[in-house]
Amino acid sequence: MDCWSSSFSVEDEFEKLVTRMNPPRVTVDNASSRTATLIKVDSANKHGSLLEVVQVLTDMDLIIRRAYISSDGEWFMDVFHVTDPNGNKLSEDDVSERIQQSLGPRALSFRSLRRSVGVQADAENTTIELTGRDRPGLLSEVFAVLADLKCNVVAAEVWTHNSRMASVVYITDESTGLPIDDPDRLGKIKQLLLYVLKGDRDKRSANTAVSVVSTHKDRRLHQMMYADRDYDVEWEGFGSASDRQTPLVTVERCLDKGYTVVNLRCPDRPKLLFDTVCTLTDMKYVVYHATVIAEGPEAYQEYYIRHIDGSPISSEAERQRVINCLEAAVRRRSSEGIKLELCSEDRVGLLSDVTRIFRENGLSVTRAEVTTKGSQAVNVFYVTDASGCPVKTETIEAVRKEIGITVLRVKDECSKFPPQERGRFSLGDLFRSRSEKFLYNLGLIKSCS
Protein backbone atom coordinates (compact mmCIF):
# COMPACT_ATOMS: atom_id res chain seq x y z
CA MET A 1 0.00 0.00 0.00
CA ASP A 2 1.42 3.40 -0.93
CA CYS A 3 1.70 6.34 1.45
CA TRP A 4 -1.34 8.10 -0.03
CA SER A 5 -3.58 5.06 0.45
CA SER A 6 -2.27 4.57 3.99
CA SER A 7 -2.92 8.18 5.01
CA PHE A 8 -6.33 8.08 3.33
CA SER A 9 -7.30 5.01 5.39
CA VAL A 10 -6.11 6.55 8.66
CA GLU A 11 -8.02 9.77 7.98
CA ASP A 12 -11.15 7.86 7.01
CA GLU A 13 -11.03 5.68 10.13
CA PHE A 14 -10.47 8.73 12.34
CA GLU A 15 -13.56 10.43 10.89
CA LYS A 16 -15.59 7.26 11.53
CA LEU A 17 -14.35 7.22 15.14
CA VAL A 18 -15.34 10.87 15.63
CA THR A 19 -18.80 10.15 14.19
CA ARG A 20 -19.28 7.16 16.52
CA MET A 21 -18.23 9.21 19.54
CA ASN A 22 -20.34 12.21 18.53
CA PRO A 23 -23.36 10.89 16.63
CA PRO A 24 -25.57 13.53 15.00
CA ARG A 25 -28.56 14.69 17.02
CA VAL A 26 -31.69 15.40 15.02
CA THR A 27 -34.86 17.02 16.33
CA VAL A 28 -38.09 17.54 14.41
CA ASP A 29 -40.28 20.48 15.43
CA ASN A 30 -43.79 20.80 14.04
CA ALA A 31 -44.96 23.44 16.53
CA SER A 32 -42.77 26.50 15.93
CA SER A 33 -43.97 27.33 12.41
CA ARG A 34 -47.43 27.31 10.87
CA THR A 35 -46.15 26.53 7.38
CA ALA A 36 -43.12 24.28 7.73
CA THR A 37 -41.50 21.57 9.83
CA LEU A 38 -38.24 22.56 11.51
CA ILE A 39 -35.44 20.03 11.39
CA LYS A 40 -32.47 20.81 13.63
CA VAL A 41 -29.23 18.88 13.17
CA ASP A 42 -26.33 19.07 15.65
CA SER A 43 -23.16 17.11 14.99
CA ALA A 44 -19.38 17.07 15.12
CA ASN A 45 -18.03 19.36 12.41
CA LYS A 46 -16.03 17.99 9.50
CA HIS A 47 -15.58 18.99 5.89
CA GLY A 48 -18.63 17.93 3.93
CA SER A 49 -21.01 17.69 6.91
CA LEU A 50 -23.36 20.31 5.48
CA LEU A 51 -23.46 18.56 2.11
CA GLU A 52 -24.32 15.24 3.75
CA VAL A 53 -27.26 16.78 5.61
CA VAL A 54 -28.58 18.62 2.54
CA GLN A 55 -28.23 15.46 0.46
CA VAL A 56 -30.24 13.42 2.96
CA LEU A 57 -33.06 15.99 2.97
CA THR A 58 -32.97 16.18 -0.83
CA ASP A 59 -33.11 12.41 -1.23
CA MET A 60 -36.15 12.37 1.06
CA ASP A 61 -37.87 14.71 -1.47
CA LEU A 62 -38.16 17.48 1.10
CA ILE A 63 -38.44 21.10 -0.01
CA ILE A 64 -36.09 23.38 1.94
CA ARG A 65 -37.81 26.74 2.35
CA ARG A 66 -35.35 28.24 4.83
CA ALA A 67 -32.03 27.19 6.33
CA TYR A 68 -29.71 28.66 8.94
CA ILE A 69 -26.24 27.14 9.17
CA SER A 70 -23.51 27.73 11.74
CA SER A 71 -20.35 25.61 11.89
CA ASP A 72 -17.60 27.61 13.57
CA GLY A 73 -15.34 25.46 15.72
CA GLU A 74 -15.66 21.70 16.19
CA TRP A 75 -19.47 21.56 16.09
CA PHE A 76 -22.09 22.51 13.58
CA MET A 77 -25.75 23.33 14.03
CA ASP A 78 -28.18 23.54 11.12
CA VAL A 79 -31.85 24.48 11.14
CA PHE A 80 -33.98 23.68 8.10
CA HIS A 81 -37.60 24.71 7.43
CA VAL A 82 -38.94 21.94 5.21
CA THR A 83 -42.19 20.79 3.61
CA ASP A 84 -43.17 17.85 1.47
CA PRO A 85 -43.32 18.39 -2.34
CA ASN A 86 -46.94 19.58 -2.01
CA GLY A 87 -46.01 22.33 0.45
CA ASN A 88 -47.37 20.54 3.54
CA LYS A 89 -45.71 20.07 6.90
CA LEU A 90 -44.27 16.62 7.52
CA SER A 91 -46.42 13.99 9.15
CA GLU A 92 -43.99 11.07 9.23
CA ASP A 93 -43.02 10.01 12.73
CA ASP A 94 -39.73 8.45 11.67
CA VAL A 95 -38.19 11.50 9.95
CA SER A 96 -35.71 12.05 12.77
CA GLU A 97 -34.64 8.41 12.83
CA ARG A 98 -34.23 8.25 9.06
CA ILE A 99 -31.99 11.33 9.04
CA GLN A 100 -29.90 10.06 11.95
CA GLN A 101 -29.42 6.70 10.26
CA SER A 102 -28.37 8.38 7.04
CA LEU A 103 -25.82 10.58 8.83
CA GLY A 104 -24.59 7.99 11.30
CA PRO A 105 -21.33 6.00 11.25
CA ARG A 106 -22.78 3.27 9.02
CA ALA A 107 -23.73 5.72 6.31
CA LEU A 108 -21.57 5.98 3.23
CA SER A 109 -19.17 8.90 3.51
CA PHE A 110 -19.31 11.43 0.72
CA ARG A 111 -15.61 11.95 1.21
CA SER A 112 -14.66 8.32 0.51
CA LEU A 113 -13.68 8.90 -3.09
CA ARG A 114 -11.45 6.37 -4.86
CA ARG A 115 -10.84 7.14 -8.50
CA SER A 116 -10.62 4.17 -10.84
CA VAL A 117 -10.32 4.18 -14.60
CA GLY A 118 -12.75 1.72 -16.16
CA VAL A 119 -16.41 0.80 -16.01
CA GLN A 120 -17.69 0.23 -12.49
CA ALA A 121 -19.80 -2.86 -11.81
CA ASP A 122 -21.76 -3.46 -8.61
CA ALA A 123 -24.11 -6.21 -7.49
CA GLU A 124 -26.96 -5.03 -9.71
CA ASN A 125 -25.57 -3.22 -12.74
CA THR A 126 -22.59 -1.72 -14.50
CA THR A 127 -22.08 2.04 -14.38
CA ILE A 128 -20.79 4.02 -17.35
CA GLU A 129 -19.89 7.72 -17.19
CA LEU A 130 -19.80 9.85 -20.32
CA THR A 131 -18.68 13.40 -21.03
CA GLY A 132 -18.30 15.17 -24.36
CA ARG A 133 -19.52 17.88 -26.66
CA ASP A 134 -23.32 18.09 -26.82
CA ARG A 135 -24.99 17.98 -30.21
CA PRO A 136 -28.46 17.12 -31.59
CA GLY A 137 -28.96 13.36 -31.73
CA LEU A 138 -26.03 12.48 -29.42
CA LEU A 139 -28.19 10.67 -26.87
CA SER A 140 -29.84 8.68 -29.65
CA GLU A 141 -26.44 7.53 -30.89
CA VAL A 142 -25.31 6.54 -27.38
CA PHE A 143 -28.41 4.45 -26.70
CA ALA A 144 -28.24 2.90 -30.19
CA VAL A 145 -24.66 1.73 -29.56
CA LEU A 146 -25.64 0.21 -26.20
CA ALA A 147 -28.63 -1.57 -27.75
CA ASP A 148 -26.46 -2.93 -30.58
CA LEU A 149 -23.98 -4.25 -28.00
CA LYS A 150 -26.79 -6.14 -26.21
CA CYS A 151 -26.80 -3.80 -23.20
CA ASN A 152 -30.03 -2.98 -21.38
CA VAL A 153 -30.22 0.52 -19.88
CA VAL A 154 -31.97 0.22 -16.50
CA ALA A 155 -31.39 3.83 -15.42
CA ALA A 156 -29.59 6.95 -16.58
CA GLU A 157 -29.32 10.67 -15.99
CA VAL A 158 -28.15 13.14 -18.61
CA TRP A 159 -27.23 16.80 -18.12
CA THR A 160 -26.25 19.33 -20.78
CA HIS A 161 -24.76 22.76 -20.21
CA ASN A 162 -22.66 25.23 -22.18
CA SER A 163 -22.26 22.88 -25.18
CA ARG A 164 -21.12 19.99 -22.94
CA MET A 165 -22.88 16.75 -21.95
CA ALA A 166 -22.41 14.53 -18.91
CA SER A 167 -24.23 11.28 -18.25
CA VAL A 168 -24.26 8.41 -15.78
CA VAL A 169 -25.75 5.27 -17.33
CA TYR A 170 -26.54 2.00 -15.53
CA ILE A 171 -26.59 -1.09 -17.74
CA THR A 172 -27.00 -4.86 -17.51
CA ASP A 173 -26.51 -7.70 -19.96
CA GLU A 174 -29.52 -8.02 -22.26
CA SER A 175 -29.83 -11.80 -21.96
CA THR A 176 -28.94 -12.43 -18.30
CA GLY A 177 -29.96 -9.16 -16.62
CA LEU A 178 -26.66 -9.25 -14.71
CA PRO A 179 -23.85 -6.69 -14.51
CA ILE A 180 -21.31 -6.79 -17.34
CA ASP A 181 -17.85 -7.58 -16.01
CA ASP A 182 -16.04 -9.11 -18.98
CA PRO A 183 -12.96 -6.88 -19.63
CA ASP A 184 -12.96 -7.43 -23.40
CA ARG A 185 -16.63 -6.59 -23.73
CA LEU A 186 -16.30 -3.55 -21.49
CA GLY A 187 -13.33 -2.39 -23.53
CA LYS A 188 -15.39 -2.60 -26.73
CA ILE A 189 -18.27 -0.67 -25.11
CA LYS A 190 -15.90 2.09 -24.01
CA GLN A 191 -14.18 2.26 -27.39
CA LEU A 192 -17.40 2.59 -29.40
CA LEU A 193 -18.97 5.10 -27.01
CA LEU A 194 -15.81 7.20 -27.07
CA TYR A 195 -15.96 7.20 -30.87
CA VAL A 196 -19.56 8.46 -30.73
CA LEU A 197 -18.75 11.13 -28.16
CA LYS A 198 -15.79 12.55 -30.04
CA GLY A 199 -17.64 12.88 -33.35
CA ASP A 200 -15.80 15.27 -35.65
CA ARG A 201 -16.28 18.57 -33.77
CA ASP A 202 -15.10 18.05 -30.20
CA LYS A 203 -12.41 20.65 -29.50
CA ARG A 204 -11.77 19.05 -26.13
CA SER A 205 -11.27 15.41 -25.25
CA ALA A 206 -14.38 13.33 -24.70
CA ASN A 207 -14.31 10.82 -21.88
CA THR A 208 -16.03 7.58 -21.04
CA ALA A 209 -16.09 5.02 -18.23
CA VAL A 210 -14.33 6.96 -15.47
CA SER A 211 -15.94 5.89 -12.20
CA VAL A 212 -15.81 7.25 -8.67
CA VAL A 213 -16.75 4.73 -6.02
CA SER A 214 -19.39 5.63 -3.41
CA THR A 215 -20.28 9.00 -4.92
CA HIS A 216 -23.87 10.14 -5.16
CA LYS A 217 -25.08 10.29 -8.78
CA ASP A 218 -26.00 13.98 -8.77
CA ARG A 219 -22.75 14.94 -7.09
CA ARG A 220 -20.83 12.87 -9.63
CA LEU A 221 -22.54 14.68 -12.51
CA HIS A 222 -21.50 18.01 -10.99
CA GLN A 223 -17.93 16.73 -10.64
CA MET A 224 -17.84 15.48 -14.23
CA MET A 225 -19.08 18.77 -15.69
CA TYR A 226 -16.78 20.77 -13.42
CA ALA A 227 -13.81 18.67 -14.56
CA ASP A 228 -14.94 19.25 -18.16
CA ARG A 229 -14.86 23.03 -17.47
CA ASP A 230 -18.45 23.62 -18.52
CA TYR A 231 -18.29 26.81 -16.43
CA ASP A 232 -15.76 28.31 -18.85
CA VAL A 233 -17.71 30.96 -20.78
CA GLU A 234 -15.35 30.91 -23.76
CA TRP A 235 -16.74 27.53 -24.76
CA GLU A 236 -20.31 28.68 -25.30
CA GLY A 237 -21.91 27.15 -28.36
CA PHE A 238 -24.80 24.82 -29.11
CA GLY A 239 -26.93 24.41 -26.01
CA SER A 240 -25.13 27.37 -24.48
CA ALA A 241 -26.20 28.82 -21.17
CA SER A 242 -25.81 32.31 -22.62
CA ASP A 243 -29.48 32.38 -23.57
CA ARG A 244 -30.67 31.14 -20.20
CA GLN A 245 -31.68 33.23 -17.26
CA THR A 246 -28.47 34.05 -15.45
CA PRO A 247 -28.44 33.72 -11.65
CA LEU A 248 -27.08 36.73 -9.78
CA VAL A 249 -23.93 35.76 -7.87
CA THR A 250 -21.70 38.15 -5.92
CA VAL A 251 -18.48 37.34 -4.07
CA GLU A 252 -17.16 39.92 -1.59
CA ARG A 253 -14.58 40.07 1.17
CA CYS A 254 -15.55 40.38 4.84
CA LEU A 255 -12.30 41.83 6.12
CA ASP A 256 -13.18 42.19 9.80
CA LYS A 257 -14.04 38.47 10.17
CA GLY A 258 -11.72 36.96 7.56
CA TYR A 259 -14.52 35.42 5.52
CA THR A 260 -15.50 35.60 1.89
CA VAL A 261 -19.23 36.33 1.52
CA VAL A 262 -21.06 34.68 -1.39
CA ASN A 263 -24.58 35.78 -2.28
CA LEU A 264 -26.76 34.03 -4.83
CA ARG A 265 -30.22 35.00 -6.07
CA CYS A 266 -32.11 33.08 -8.75
CA PRO A 267 -35.48 31.43 -9.47
CA ASP A 268 -36.08 28.66 -6.95
CA ARG A 269 -36.37 25.00 -7.91
CA PRO A 270 -35.95 21.59 -6.23
CA LYS A 271 -32.37 20.59 -5.32
CA LEU A 272 -31.02 24.12 -5.75
CA LEU A 273 -29.43 24.15 -2.29
CA PHE A 274 -27.76 20.80 -2.92
CA ASP A 275 -26.32 22.03 -6.22
CA THR A 276 -24.69 25.11 -4.68
CA VAL A 277 -23.43 23.40 -1.51
CA CYS A 278 -22.07 20.53 -3.59
CA THR A 279 -20.13 22.96 -5.78
CA LEU A 280 -18.63 24.89 -2.88
CA THR A 281 -17.64 21.63 -1.15
CA ASP A 282 -15.98 20.15 -4.23
CA MET A 283 -14.12 23.44 -4.80
CA LYS A 284 -12.61 22.90 -1.31
CA TYR A 285 -14.43 25.71 0.46
CA VAL A 286 -15.85 25.41 3.96
CA VAL A 287 -19.21 27.01 4.76
CA TYR A 288 -19.01 28.55 8.24
CA HIS A 289 -22.34 30.37 8.25
CA ALA A 290 -25.19 30.46 5.77
CA THR A 291 -28.73 31.76 5.39
CA VAL A 292 -31.13 30.37 2.79
CA ILE A 293 -34.57 31.78 2.00
CA ALA A 294 -36.75 30.13 -0.66
CA GLU A 295 -40.35 30.86 0.27
CA GLY A 296 -41.48 32.17 -3.09
CA PRO A 297 -40.56 31.87 -6.74
CA GLU A 298 -37.11 33.32 -6.00
CA ALA A 299 -34.37 31.88 -3.79
CA TYR A 300 -31.71 33.76 -1.86
CA GLN A 301 -28.57 32.12 -0.47
CA GLU A 302 -25.79 33.74 1.56
CA TYR A 303 -22.60 31.89 2.50
CA TYR A 304 -19.64 32.87 4.67
CA ILE A 305 -16.80 30.71 3.38
CA ARG A 306 -13.06 30.09 3.64
CA HIS A 307 -10.63 27.65 2.10
CA ILE A 308 -10.02 24.41 3.98
CA ASP A 309 -6.81 25.98 5.32
CA GLY A 310 -8.86 28.84 6.81
CA SER A 311 -7.94 31.55 4.31
CA PRO A 312 -10.48 33.66 2.37
CA ILE A 313 -10.52 34.16 -1.40
CA SER A 314 -7.54 36.35 -2.21
CA SER A 315 -7.52 37.07 -5.96
CA GLU A 316 -9.85 38.52 -8.55
CA ALA A 317 -9.34 35.46 -10.79
CA GLU A 318 -10.47 33.12 -8.01
CA ARG A 319 -13.43 35.34 -7.20
CA GLN A 320 -14.59 35.25 -10.83
CA ARG A 321 -14.08 31.48 -10.95
CA VAL A 322 -16.38 30.99 -7.96
CA ILE A 323 -19.03 33.15 -9.66
CA ASN A 324 -18.77 31.19 -12.92
CA CYS A 325 -18.87 27.81 -11.15
CA LEU A 326 -21.93 28.67 -9.06
CA GLU A 327 -23.74 30.02 -12.11
CA ALA A 328 -22.95 26.77 -13.92
CA ALA A 329 -24.11 24.68 -10.94
CA VAL A 330 -27.49 26.43 -11.00
CA ARG A 331 -27.93 26.12 -14.77
CA ARG A 332 -26.92 22.47 -15.15
CA ARG A 333 -30.17 21.20 -13.72
CA SER A 334 -32.33 23.96 -15.18
CA SER A 335 -35.13 22.51 -17.24
CA GLU A 336 -34.72 23.81 -20.77
CA GLY A 337 -37.46 22.91 -23.23
CA ILE A 338 -40.71 20.97 -23.05
CA LYS A 339 -40.98 18.23 -20.46
CA LEU A 340 -42.07 14.87 -21.86
CA GLU A 341 -42.83 11.87 -19.65
CA LEU A 342 -42.72 8.38 -21.07
CA CYS A 343 -44.39 5.56 -19.14
CA SER A 344 -44.56 2.10 -20.70
CA GLU A 345 -43.66 -1.53 -20.26
CA ASP A 346 -39.88 -1.71 -20.19
CA ARG A 347 -38.09 -3.57 -22.97
CA VAL A 348 -34.61 -3.79 -24.39
CA GLY A 349 -33.99 -1.07 -26.97
CA LEU A 350 -36.84 1.16 -25.78
CA LEU A 351 -34.57 4.18 -25.21
CA SER A 352 -32.83 3.66 -28.53
CA ASP A 353 -36.17 3.69 -30.37
CA VAL A 354 -37.60 6.69 -28.50
CA THR A 355 -34.52 8.90 -28.86
CA ARG A 356 -34.23 7.92 -32.54
CA ILE A 357 -37.77 9.20 -33.10
CA PHE A 358 -36.82 12.41 -31.27
CA ARG A 359 -33.79 12.84 -33.56
CA GLU A 360 -35.74 12.11 -36.74
CA ASN A 361 -38.25 14.82 -35.80
CA GLY A 362 -35.55 17.39 -35.10
CA LEU A 363 -35.74 17.26 -31.28
CA SER A 364 -32.70 17.68 -29.08
CA VAL A 365 -32.65 16.31 -25.51
CA THR A 366 -31.30 18.85 -23.00
CA ARG A 367 -31.83 16.71 -19.90
CA ALA A 368 -33.06 13.19 -19.24
CA GLU A 369 -33.96 11.04 -16.24
CA VAL A 370 -34.35 7.33 -16.97
CA THR A 371 -35.69 4.97 -14.30
CA THR A 372 -37.12 1.46 -14.19
CA LYS A 373 -39.73 0.58 -11.58
CA GLY A 374 -40.36 -3.13 -11.70
CA SER A 375 -41.38 -3.88 -15.25
CA GLN A 376 -42.28 -0.25 -15.99
CA ALA A 377 -40.05 2.33 -17.66
CA VAL A 378 -40.61 5.85 -16.29
CA ASN A 379 -38.52 8.30 -18.29
CA VAL A 380 -38.49 12.09 -18.39
CA PHE A 381 -37.02 14.09 -21.28
CA TYR A 382 -36.63 17.84 -21.73
CA VAL A 383 -36.52 18.67 -25.41
CA THR A 384 -35.95 21.67 -27.68
CA ASP A 385 -35.52 21.89 -31.42
CA ALA A 386 -32.06 21.38 -32.90
CA SER A 387 -31.18 25.07 -32.49
CA GLY A 388 -32.23 25.18 -28.85
CA CYS A 389 -35.54 26.95 -29.47
CA PRO A 390 -39.00 25.87 -28.25
CA VAL A 391 -40.57 23.00 -30.15
CA LYS A 392 -43.70 23.58 -32.21
CA THR A 393 -46.87 21.94 -30.94
CA GLU A 394 -47.44 20.04 -34.18
CA THR A 395 -43.96 18.49 -33.90
CA ILE A 396 -44.63 17.28 -30.36
CA GLU A 397 -47.97 15.81 -31.40
CA ALA A 398 -46.37 14.04 -34.35
CA VAL A 399 -43.78 12.48 -32.03
CA ARG A 400 -46.48 11.43 -29.55
CA LYS A 401 -48.51 9.74 -32.30
CA GLU A 402 -45.46 7.80 -33.44
CA ILE A 403 -44.46 6.69 -29.93
CA GLY A 404 -47.98 6.44 -28.49
CA ILE A 405 -50.35 9.15 -27.26
CA THR A 406 -50.92 7.40 -23.94
CA VAL A 407 -47.26 6.42 -23.58
CA LEU A 408 -45.65 9.86 -24.10
CA ARG A 409 -47.25 12.82 -22.38
CA VAL A 410 -46.46 16.51 -22.12
CA LYS A 411 -45.98 17.50 -18.48
CA ASP A 412 -46.39 21.00 -17.13
CA GLU A 413 -43.85 22.24 -14.63
CA CYS A 414 -46.04 23.27 -11.69
CA SER A 415 -44.78 25.65 -9.05
CA LYS A 416 -44.47 24.12 -5.60
CA PHE A 417 -45.65 27.38 -4.04
CA PRO A 418 -49.35 27.97 -3.40
CA PRO A 419 -50.60 31.15 -5.14
CA GLN A 420 -51.03 32.97 -1.84
CA GLU A 421 -47.36 32.40 -0.97
CA ARG A 422 -45.85 33.71 -4.18
CA GLY A 423 -44.21 37.07 -3.83
CA ARG A 424 -43.70 36.77 -0.05
CA PHE A 425 -39.95 37.05 -0.54
CA SER A 426 -38.87 40.45 0.79
CA LEU A 427 -35.67 42.31 1.51
CA GLY A 428 -36.65 42.42 5.15
CA ASP A 429 -36.22 38.66 5.28
CA LEU A 430 -32.68 38.94 3.98
CA PHE A 431 -31.32 41.31 6.56
CA ARG A 432 -32.45 39.87 9.86
CA SER A 433 -30.04 40.70 12.63
CA ARG A 434 -27.39 38.11 13.38
CA SER A 435 -28.56 37.99 16.98
CA GLU A 436 -32.13 37.12 15.96
CA LYS A 437 -30.85 34.33 13.71
CA PHE A 438 -28.68 32.99 16.52
CA LEU A 439 -31.53 32.97 19.04
CA TYR A 440 -33.81 31.39 16.48
CA ASN A 441 -31.29 28.64 15.71
CA LEU A 442 -31.09 27.82 19.39
CA GLY A 443 -34.85 27.47 19.49
CA LEU A 444 -35.23 30.40 21.91
CA ILE A 445 -37.55 32.33 19.60
CA LYS A 446 -40.18 31.03 17.19
CA SER A 447 -40.65 31.61 13.53
CA CYS A 448 -42.43 34.79 12.49
CA SER A 449 -43.95 33.03 9.51
Side-chain angles (χ1 to χ4, degrees), residues 66-95:
R66 285 180 180 247
Y68 302 103
I69 289 104
S70 179
S71 61
D72 261 336
E74 299 300 319
W75 199 259
F76 82 88
M77 178 173 63
D78 301 344
V79 179
F80 299 91
H81 294 219
V82 303
T83 66
D84 67 16
N86 296 318
N88 302 315
K89 296 169 70 170
L90 307 185
S91 58
E92 298 181 59
D93 296 330
D94 63 341
V95 168

Side-chain angles (χ1 to χ4, degrees), residues 325-357:
C325 288
L326 285 174
E327 288 179 350
V330 171
R331 292 191 186 113
R332 286 170 192 151
R333 208 195 294 265
S334 296
S335 304
E336 295 293 307
I338 294 177
K339 180 180 180 181
L340 301 177
E341 184 177 83
L342 184 145
C343 297
S344 73
E345 191 74 16
D346 190 31
R347 60 174 174 80
V348 175
L350 173 65
L351 288 169
S352 176
D353 292 341
V354 169
T355 52
R356 172 184 54 79
I357 293 171

Side-chain angles (χ1 to χ4, degrees), residues 6 48 57 60 69 93 96 98 118 173 182 206 264 277 332 359 398 410 428 447:
S6 178
L57 298 178
M60 293 173 66
I69 289 104
D93 296 330
S96 176
R98 289 168 62 189
D173 179 75
D182 176 60
L264 181 146
V277 171
R332 286 170 192 151
R359 185 191 71 230
V410 179
S447 169

Side-chain angles (χ1 to χ4, degrees), residues 140-158:
S140 172
E141 295 176 34
V142 167
F143 288 143
V145 166
L146 292 174
D148 188 59
L149 293 173
K150 309 301 180 183
C151 300
N152 183 38
V153 178
V154 296
E157 183 135 358
V158 181

